[in-house]
Amino acid sequence: MNHLLRGNAWKYGDNVDTDVIIPARYLNTLNAAELAQHCMEDIDKTFAKEVHSNDVIIAGENFGCGSSREHAPIAIKASGVSIVVAKSFARIFFRNAINIGLPILEHPTFADECSKGDVVEVDLSEGVLRNVTLGKEYKCSAFPKEIQNLIQQGGLINYTKNKLGV
């Protein structure tokens, strides 16, 4: 994972729950590629077909609320999204995202000033968000180095294996 991420924004509002990130009818698989084909389809029919590698999801408050399924961040990551930036995250989604190595950041106003398709750049190591399209920069809290390392290694399982030398 690169510490500098750049892609086009996909914009969503408040309270995007795990049931619309990946609908329950697809929970019979853990195949990441299959989950990615259905990511966001109940709120955005175009997402799975048009998302590009390194694109960025921008959202409002309480992103990932609802069920505690790990499928939701897996589907997002497998779709090619490099990071999710939201005003806030549901706590279980926040932890699941970190555990699978999906970068996430919180900022109170970034989503308000972004539109779908804006070019967004994120410096994970410094906690800097940029809306390149608007020429604006925002500062947020970067994760501690240990969490950045965990994300960089692809999540908790890989991190633990590397730590144990397995």
Side-chain angles (χ1 to χ4, degrees):
M1 177 189 79
N2 189 347
H3 286 282
L4 187 63
L5 308 172
R6 184 182 175 116
N8 294 319
W10 289 84
K11 174 106 181 251
Y12 300 101
D14 295 338
N15 302 309
V16 174
D17 66 53
T18 55
D19 292 324
V20 296
I21 295 170
I22 187 65
R25 61 190 172 273
Y26 303 112
L27 297 181
N28 58 347
T29 184
L30 275 175
N31 180 295
E34 191 174 329
L35 291 171
Q37 293 173 10
H38 303 288
C39 188
M40 308 302 263
E41 77 180 23
D42 283 358
I43 60 169
D44 187 343
K45 299 281 186 217
T46 66
F47 180 82
K49 293 179 183 97
E50 296 179 11
V51 67
H52 293 96
S53 183
N54 298 320
D55 280 356
V56 178
I57 290 179
I58 309 294
E61 300 279 352
N62 203 26
F63 187 86
C65 58
S67 304
S68 62
R69 62 182 64 133
E70 195 175 51
H71 294 71
I74 290 170
I76 291 171
K77 185 177 178 182
S79 74
V81 166
S82 62
I83 188 167
V84 180
V85 179
K87 289 183 179 184
S88 67
F89 292 92
R91 193 158 84 177
I92 193 72
F93 180 89
F94 184 96
R95 191 65 233 175
N96 283 338
I98 299 301
N99 283 347
I100 64 129
L102 173 65
I104 56 174
L105 286 176
E106 292 181 336
H107 191 276
T109 62
F110 188 69
D112 296 334
E113 300 180 13
C114 284
S115 299
K116 181 179 179 182
D118 284 357
V119 176
V120 173
E121 192 173 84
V122 180
D123 184 331
L124 283 177
S125 60
E126 299 298 321
V128 176
L129 306 167
R130 292 180 192 90
N131 184 319
V132 177
T133 302
L134 298 179
K136 290 188 172 188
E137 185 171 288
Y138 310 76
K139 184 74 175 140
C140 63
S141 296
F143 282 115
K145 296 292 181 206
E146 198 70 14
I147 299 297
Q148 289 182 36
N149 190 21
L150 186 149
I151 293 169
Q152 188 173 359
Q153 291 183 45
L156 185 59
I157 291 173
N158 290 340
Y159 174 83
T160 303
K161 284 180 178 177
N162 290 339
K163 202 94 161 139
L164 296 173
V166 178

